[in-house]
Amino acid sequence: MARSSAEDMELRKSCAVAIAGSGGKEEEIVLSIRVAKGRGIFEKLGRLAEPRVLAVTTKHSARSEKTKAFIRVLKYSSGAGLEPAKLYKLKHLTKLEVVTNDPSGCTFFMGFDNLRSQSVAPPQWTMRNIDDRNRLLFCILNLCKEILARLPKVNGIDIVELALWAKDNTPAVITTQVTTTQESNQDGATVTVVKEREVQVVSVEKDLLVSHAEEEEEDMESMKSLLSMYLMGIGETEAFSERMKQELLALEATNVYSLLEAEPLLDEVVKGLDAATLYIDDIDEWLQIFNVKLRHMREDIASIESRNNTMELLSDNCKGLVDELDRLLNKLRIPPEYSAILTTGSFEEKRMLKHVEACEWLSAALHSLQASNMEPCYANMRAVRERHEELEKLKAIFVKRATEFLTNYFSTLADFMLTDKSYFAQFRGQLKRPDHADLRFKCRTYARLLQHLKSLDRSSLVPLRKAYCQSLNLLLRREAREFSNELRSSTKIPRNPPGWLEGSSNSNDTSMVSEAYSNMLKIFIPLLVDESSFFAHFMCFEGIDNKDDDDDLEIMDPDGNDDKPEITSSELGALNEALKDLLDGIQEDFYAIIDWAWKVDPLRCISMYGLTERYLSGQKTDAAGFVRKLLDDLRSKIISQFNKFIDEVCHQIERNERNVRPPIGVLSYMTKFENLASRMEHNIQGQSRDMVDKAYSKLVGAMFNTLEKIAETDSKSFDIVLIENYAAFQNSLYELANAVSSLAKFYHLASESYEQACTRLCNSVINLQFDKLISFHQKVDELRLRCGKSNEEIPFQQGLSKSDLRKVLKYSLTGIDRSFNLMYKKLVKSLTTEELLPSIWIKCKKEFLDKYAAFVEMVLKIYGNEPVTPVAEMKELIASL
């Protein structure tokens, strides 16, 4: 069996705290138990029983030395704590009755004699089980017997069974009283202390059983007293029997005498009975007749009541049906004013409000007649289907009329502006942005109409979008052409544009072509973006984020939902196709500006590329998607034109290979490349650095390749040509290479090639004057490294003996000053640039010393103490030359 809540100490402590907080600090808890409160009528209506806690408490008064008992009702607060709800005094308890309607027997109610309204049903308390019910009732009866010396009336439960249950469960019903006292701690604060003590329960069983014994004893005493009265004066049994016989005879004689005296009366009674007997049969027949009539009347009344109930039900049903049909007819009725507006009349501006109202009604009517928005029984009705077909026909007529009107209206607006000469005259002499404010204002008049056309028939917007794009495309292309022509005619360009190898000067400044292209972008790119965004919102493309256009167009969702869905891929594809129809062809005027600027100064493509990149980075991919594509095409056009120029320059460089005749000297493009690079750097804007760096790579690659091919035409002057040209390239590009990292790379490449050419030239000059010395050293190295000869074996090889060594030293080092003079004259004769001679001569001396030091080291290792001029002495000798 589950543990009873009466044994829950936490529940007792919670009750004690709640009672103490409501003023019952001196009360002691005898029993606390969880119950469910209900009133039978409310439970039948569907209301649930409310959880409560019943606490039986006592309070002892020291002044009067009396004990009072209470029954407290506690409920659960919002914070899941307990709070007092009701207080009953036990002295007013008059009745404890178990509800017979509850088959479990766990529901009872308590009657009190001090309730204000006895007509209100007292609350019913439902326990978890019979044991909890008996435990509570036993506790209440125990306190009534102990404190009040009386018991309340108990109904619905056998008091003997309750006593037997108490006898079997006496240890379980010994409860614990919980008291609350207040103590002061060291800080002076008042603290509530919960104390427990066991209470000795008075056995109700004993009192109840003793009460029944006393009643039986009283009954026996009364019977004894009665017998004593009737047996008084009786001696023996025979005498008593004789006496009783005499009294019986006297009683019978008295009765016979009375009957004889009452004989006349009896005769009258018999006569009356005989007379009444005559009417009994008639009354019986009358009663049978009346009974039959009453039975027929009851049947008639029952039939009338049945027919009356049926008629009342039929009347209610008919009334409800009429109301429902009225509502359905209101849905199906087509107001004549809306029908007239949708089928006839013009679309003038002053009538637009009525058209919008009619569209709203038509949309709502079609929405209400959809199968998903109606009862299935209504959706299959013929009247509903017919009315839905009528609304569909009405919608088709209105959509066709509105589509034809708007198509003609868009064409008329564009034609009017195209034929207005004063409108295009504004571009002459002043470069102003085309003003479309009046055009947009007239279009906004029909924005709401387009929104409702979309809700009625989404496919109707396709021809409208195409008509709008075709009409406005003619206007935009005409405006771009007029603006482009005026822009080129008003720009003053130099008569003789600079060549690609010429430096820039004030007289040949071509920055005005870049400004012209910038003006074209500054005027028309925002215009095209605005037109694209206006078109996307005006033609009801979903998911385009532009709050300003929504406010201007006053577009509202018919369902009242302001949240815009994200644009889908299909919707975005349709928008891009429509924007292509709207703006296609206008790029030709931009191309014309680019071609014109390229012819004036091809290097202006660099600045135009940077301007295009700046505009391209600020464009979105939704409403301005085609504008972004336009800018991307312009960027490709500029790159193509610039690459065309670079290819032409490379071709001119390569043609030098066929035109050069010896002496070659320094090629012109090697020194004039710096002018081209300076102009290219001057034109760099924004993100055009990559394009310029690629052009540098292509140009320098062509220059160096051509130089190598030209140098190879004369093998004798190969290194001289490379040295002079690489030196000229470095001298002209020195300052610019320090500022531009990409040019520094080519500068270092030229420097490496220059050093390699110088090394080859110095070696050739040294080998020409000291060929035997160099040749002897090379033979020794070849035997040591390739043939694996040891140092001791080499002097015994043919041509490498010590005598051969002495001959080589004598031949090579005798008259060394003459040899160096011949080397110097050779360099002077070969070089056409005198500025390079000192550095190359110094490099020749250094190369000779390096070779001589290696030769001396070899001699010391292989030939021992053979006399040879030391390296330090040779260094001093060469330095003095």
Side-chain angles (χ1 to χ4, degrees):
M1 184 177 64
R3 184 172 178 264
S4 174
S5 59
E7 303 173 5
D8 190 350
M9 298 307 301
E10 294 296 331
L11 179 63
R12 290 175 180 273
K13 294 178 182 179
S14 300
C15 293
V17 173
I19 294 172
S22 63
K25 300 179 181 179
E26 299 179 359
E27 295 183 19
E28 298 180 354
I29 297 178
V30 179
L31 177 68
S32 61
I33 195 167
R34 292 186 180 91
V35 298
K37 176 186 177 182
R39 297 181 186 272
I41 184 62
F42 295 119
E43 294 179 0
K44 292 179 181 179
L45 294 177
R47 290 182 53 180
L48 299 176
E50 300 172 352
R52 293 289 188 268
V53 176
L54 287 181
V56 181
T57 63
T58 58
K59 181 179 180 182
H60 182 72
S61 177
R63 183 172 57 184
S64 59
E65 296 183 357
K66 293 182 179 180
T67 302
K68 298 180 180 180
F70 306 97
I71 300 176
R72 285 185 175 270
V73 182
L74 296 97
K75 65 180 182 180
Y76 290 92
S77 62
S78 59
L82 293 175
E83 59 181 14
K86 194 75 174 178
L87 175 65
Y88 298 103
K89 294 182 179 181
L90 197 63
K91 67 180 181 179
H92 296 294
L93 179 64
T94 58
K95 179 172 63 174
L96 290 173
E97 182 173 347
V98 176
V99 178
T100 58
N101 294 334
D102 185 4
S104 65
C106 297
T107 304
F108 69 95
F109 64 87
M110 296 180 288
F112 296 89
D113 58 4
N114 64 336
L115 295 180
R116 295 180 180 178
S117 177
Q118 296 290 343
S119 61
V120 178
Q124 297 179 0
W125 310 99
T126 302
M127 314 302 293
R128 292 177 58 187
N129 47 51
I130 295 296
D131 291 333
D132 283 355
R133 185 205 67 180
N134 291 343
R135 185 177 285 104
L136 179 61
L137 296 182
F138 182 79
C139 180
I140 293 173
L141 293 175
N142 190 16
L143 289 177
C144 289
K145 180 66 176 178
E146 181 181 357
I147 298 174
L148 304 178
R150 65 176 179 81
L151 294 174
K153 184 178 180 181
V154 179
N155 293 331
I157 184 173
D158 192 348
I159 198 70
V160 178
E161 291 181 1
L162 181 61
L164 295 175
W165 177 90
K167 181 178 180 181
D168 295 336
N169 295 274
T170 299
V173 299
I174 297 178
T175 61
T176 303
Q177 279 191 349
V178 179
T179 61
T180 58
T181 60
Q182 291 185 349
E183 298 179 1
S184 297
N185 57 12
Q186 296 178 358
D187 298 334
T190 303
V191 181
T192 301
V193 181
V194 180
K195 298 182 179 180
E196 302 176 1
R197 66 180 183 86
E198 294 185 355
V199 179
Q200 183 66 32
V201 180
V202 181
S203 177
V204 177
E205 175 195 4
K206 180 179 179 180
D207 293 340
L208 294 176
L209 295 178
V210 171
S211 176
H212 284 289
E214 290 178 351
E215 290 179 358
E216 293 177 358
E217 184 177 355
E218 290 178 357
D219 292 341
M220 293 297 294
E221 291 294 333
S222 60
M223 291 182 66
K224 288 180 180 180
S225 60
L226 289 175
L227 290 175
S228 61
M229 291 173 60
Y230 283 98
L231 294 177
M232 187 175 294
I234 299 175
E236 297 178 356
T237 305
E238 294 178 358
F240 176 72
S241 177
E242 186 65 25
R243 181 180 175 179
M244 292 297 293
K245 288 180 181 180
Q246 292 177 359
E247 289 182 358
L248 178 60
L249 292 174
L251 182 59
E252 290 178 351
T254 304
N255 291 335
V256 171
Y257 179 76
S258 298
L259 290 173
L260 292 176
E261 288 182 351
E263 184 179 357
L265 297 175
L266 291 176
D267 292 339
E268 293 181 0
V269 172
V270 171
K271 291 179 180 180
L273 292 175
D274 293 337
T277 304
L278 298 176
Y279 296 101
I280 288 177
D281 295 334
D282 295 336
I283 292 173
D284 183 47
E285 291 180 0
W286 292 344
L287 290 176
Q288 291 179 359
I289 294 172
F290 289 150
N291 186 25
V292 172
K293 290 183 177 182
L294 288 175
R295 181 162 51 82
H296 288 305
M297 290 179 66
R298 284 194 298 271
E299 292 176 355
D300 294 340
I301 291 172
S303 178
I304 292 172
E305 288 180 353
S306 176
R307 290 197 298 270
N308 185 37
N309 293 336
T310 304
M311 292 179 65
E312 288 182 357
L313 180 61
L314 182 62
S315 176
D316 293 339
N317 291 337
C318 290
K319 184 177 179 181
L321 179 61
V322 169
D323 294 339
E324 188 66 24
L325 290 175
D326 288 339
R327 288 193 295 271
L328 184 60
L329 287 175
N330 289 332
K331 291 183 179 180
L332 300 179
R333 187 177 67 87
I334 300 178
E337 62 274 14
Y338 290 155
S339 178
I341 291 174
L342 294 173
T343 55
T344 59
S346 64
F347 287 90
E348 298 178 356
E349 183 178 351
K350 60 183 180 180
R351 289 171 53 87
M352 282 310 301
L353 183 59
K354 295 182 179 179
H355 280 91
V356 170
E357 292 178 355
C359 289
E360 291 176 350
W361 172 84
L362 181 59
S363 298
L366 288 171
H367 182 72
S368 63
L369 292 183
Q370 291 179 356
S372 59
N373 298 325
M374 298 186 66
E375 294 291 337
C377 58
Y378 294 155
N380 298 325
M381 292 178 65
R382 187 178 67 181
V384 174
R385 295 198 304 270
E386 292 177 353
R387 190 52 50 90
H388 191 270
E389 293 175 358
E390 293 180 10
L391 292 177
E392 289 291 338
K393 292 179 181 179
L394 192 62
K395 180 187 76 172
I397 294 172
F398 174 74
V399 169
K400 182 179 179 181
R401 290 178 60 246
T403 303
E404 292 176 353
F405 166 76
L406 290 175
T407 302
N408 296 330
Y409 182 75
F410 295 148
S411 178
T412 303
L413 282 180
D415 292 342
F416 175 77
M417 297 187 70
L418 287 171
T419 56
D420 187 3
K421 296 182 179 180
S422 61
Y423 175 74
F424 292 99
Q426 64 179 334
F427 297 115
R428 295 167 189 163
Q430 53 181 352
L431 301 174
K432 294 173 56 179
R433 170 174 170 165
D435 187 8
H436 292 177
D438 185 59
L439 176 66
R440 293 184 184 180
F441 177 77
K442 292 179 180 179
C443 289
R444 288 190 186 101
T445 304
Y446 300 97
R448 295 286 297 279
L449 180 61
L450 283 171
Q451 187 75 5
H452 286 289
L453 282 177
K454 178 183 178 182
S455 64
L456 291 174
D457 186 2
R458 183 181 291 267
S459 62
S460 64
L461 291 182
V462 176
L464 287 177
R465 292 168 179 172
K466 193 169 188 64
Y468 179 88
C469 291
Q470 291 176 351
S471 301
L472 197 62
N473 179 262
L474 297 175
L475 177 62
L476 290 173
R477 292 179 64 180
R478 174 74 180 279
E479 290 172 344
R481 184 168 61 254
E482 294 290 339
F483 190 89
S484 175
N485 294 336
E486 181 63 25
L487 190 63
R488 282 177 287 176
S489 62
S490 62
T491 302
K492 296 181 180 180
I493 60 176
R495 294 182 180 180
N496 298 317
W500 69 272
L501 292 177
E502 298 178 8
S504 61
S505 62
N506 294 333
S507 61
N508 292 332
D509 184 19
T510 59
S511 61
M512 69 289 297
V513 296
S514 296
E515 293 177 359
Y517 179 75
S518 176
N519 287 333
M520 189 73 178
L521 294 180
K522 181 173 64 177
I523 295 298
F524 271 88
I525 293 302
L527 175 65
L528 298 181
V529 171
D530 292 344
E531 288 298 331
S532 300
S533 181
F534 177 81
F535 169 76
H537 288 80
F538 181 59
M539 285 299 170
C540 308
F541 285 95
E542 296 178 352
I544 305 301
D545 185 13
N546 192 325
K547 182 63 177 176
D548 296 337
D549 283 344
D550 286 349
D551 295 339
D552 293 340
L553 294 175
E554 298 180 355
I555 294 176
M556 296 176 63
D557 193 334
D559 298 332
N561 186 10
D562 294 337
D563 296 335
K564 295 182 179 180
E566 294 183 359
I567 187 168
T568 60
S569 58
S570 60
E571 192 82 356
L572 184 59
L575 174 60
N576 289 332
E577 289 295 327
L579 291 178
K580 182 179 179 182
D581 295 337
L582 177 67
L583 305 177
D584 194 23
I586 199 171
Q587 65 269 21
E588 299 300 331
D589 296 292
F590 286 89
Y591 292 164
I593 293 290
I594 294 173
D595 293 337
W596 167 73
W598 182 82
K599 290 178 182 179
V600 174
D601 186 1
L603 295 181
R604 288 296 165 183
C605 290
I606 300 173
S607 57
M608 291 191 296
Y609 180 88
L611 290 171
T612 307
E613 280 288 346
R614 187 179 66 186
Y615 278 92
L616 189 60
S617 62
Q619 301 304 319
K620 298 180 180 179
T621 58
D622 46 10
F626 189 81
V627 178
R628 184 178 181 85
K629 184 178 182 302
L630 171 63
L631 289 170
D632 191 60
D633 293 341
L634 294 179
R635 179 177 61 179
S636 300
K637 177 71 173 178
I638 293 171
I639 294 174
S640 175
Q641 292 295 90
F642 184 72
N643 290 337
K644 180 180 178 182
F645 165 71
I646 297 299
D647 292 339
E648 183 179 348
V649 173
C650 292
H651 182 64
Q652 292 179 10
I653 293 173
E654 292 170 355
R655 280 190 302 184
N656 287 334
E657 179 185 354
R658 298 188 294 271
N659 299 330
V660 171
R661 296 289 182 272
I664 298 173
V666 178
L667 300 177
S668 60
Y669 63 79
M670 298 299 290
T671 57
K672 294 182 179 181
F673 173 75
E674 184 272 338
N675 295 331
L676 178 62
S678 298
R679 291 180 58 200
M680 292 173 70
E681 290 295 325
H682 179 71
N683 288 323
I684 289 179
Q685 292 185 13
Q687 301 178 6
S688 54
R689 165 56 62 187
D690 292 339
M691 184 178 71
V692 173
D693 290 344
K694 291 179 182 178
Y696 285 155
S697 299
K698 196 169 186 180
L699 288 172
V700 174
M703 291 167 57
F704 288 177
N705 291 334
T706 303
L707 176 60
E708 294 285 342
K709 291 180 181 180
I710 292 174
E712 289 174 355
T713 58
D714 186 2
S715 59
K716 294 181 180 180
S717 62
F718 177 77
D719 292 325
I720 299 297
V721 173
L722 295 180
I723 289 172
E724 291 178 344
N725 282 276
Y726 282 131
F729 180 81
Q730 293 181 78
N731 292 335
S732 63
L733 204 63
Y734 178 75
E735 294 183 358
L736 197 58
N738 289 331
V740 182
S741 59
S742 58
L743 290 177
K745 177 179 65 175
F746 303 119
Y747 180 88
H748 294 307
L749 181 61
S751 178
E752 292 176 1
S753 300
Y754 171 80
E755 291 294 332
Q756 293 173 3
C758 286
T759 302
R760 289 196 301 269
L761 178 61
C762 293
N763 289 333
S764 64
V765 173
I766 293 171
N767 291 338
L768 184 62
Q769 297 298 324
F770 300 96
D771 56 339
K772 290 186 177 182
L773 184 68
I774 301 301
S775 177
F776 186 87
H777 190 190
Q778 290 177 350
K779 290 179 180 179
V780 173
D781 287 342
E782 184 176 358
L783 290 174
R784 292 172 59 195
L785 298 177
R786 295 185 180 180
C787 299
K789 299 294 183 179
S790 62
N791 293 338
E792 291 78 10
E793 295 175 345
I794 290 176
F796 299 100
Q797 303 297 322
Q798 185 179 2
L800 297 177
S801 63
K802 292 183 179 182
S803 60
D804 295 331
L805 173 63
R806 296 188 193 103
K807 291 178 183 180
V808 169
L809 290 174
K810 181 178 180 181
Y811 177 81
S812 299
L813 299 181
T814 301
I816 191 172
D817 52 348
R818 184 176 60 83
S819 299
F820 270 86
N821 287 332
L822 293 175
M823 289 172 56
Y824 186 78
K825 291 178 181 180
K826 177 68 175 176
L827 291 176
V828 170
K829 182 179 179 181
S830 301
L831 293 173
T832 59
T833 306
E834 296 181 357
E835 292 82 358
L836 299 177
L837 183 58
S839 61
I840 296 177
W841 179 240
I842 293 173
K843 187 170 183 63
C844 281
K845 291 181 179 181
K846 183 177 180 300
E847 288 292 331
F848 175 78
L849 287 174
D850 292 340
K851 291 179 180 294
Y852 183 75
F855 181 82
V856 171
E857 184 180 0
M858 179 270 296
V859 170
L860 294 177
K861 286 183 179 180
I862 297 175
Y863 296 96
N865 297 326
E866 284 296 320
V868 62
T869 304
V871 176
E873 185 179 345
M874 181 62 70
K875 185 174 182 181
E876 293 177 0
L877 177 62
I878 293 175
S880 64
L881 295 177

